Amino acid sequence: AVECGSAAEALRAAGAGADIVLLDNFEPQALHAAAAAVKAAQPRVTVEASGGIALATLPRFLGPHVDAVSMGCLTHGAPALDFALRV
């Protein structure tokens, strides 16, 4: 898996044999264009969107060329649980 900050990086990573291309901190329009370019060049590559995606904005990041979405907000906002286990 390779984290990419631009469409050019994503295409290079896919061409070099990456199994997963992680498109990090892309605006939705740029994300969809980059994902389409990667899939056109390397259809077998998994394209994952990440960075700055919240539940409210999630639908804007979903599309036909995006295979997975990572959302840090699911764990960043989770409260800690203090517990003990005695055996």
Side-chain angles (χ1 to χ4, degrees):
V2 179
E3 184 176 307
C4 301
S6 71
E9 283 182 0
L11 286 168
R12 282 195 307 273
D19 294 320
I20 302 170
V21 172
L22 181 66
L23 301 176
D24 192 37
N25 292 314
F26 279 65
E27 292 296 321
Q29 185 175 1
L31 169 80
H32 295 299
V38 168
K39 287 293 192 174
Q42 302 288 335
R44 63 165 181 72
V45 172
T46 298
V47 175
E48 182 174 343
S50 73
I53 302 170
L55 290 174
T57 61
L58 176 61
R60 296 179 20 211
F61 292 89
L62 302 176
H65 305 293
V66 177
D67 299 304
V69 177
S70 295
M71 296 174 46
C73 67
L74 296 176
T75 56
H76 295 166
L81 175 63
D82 185 17
F83 70 95
L85 176 66
R86 294 182 187 195
V87 180

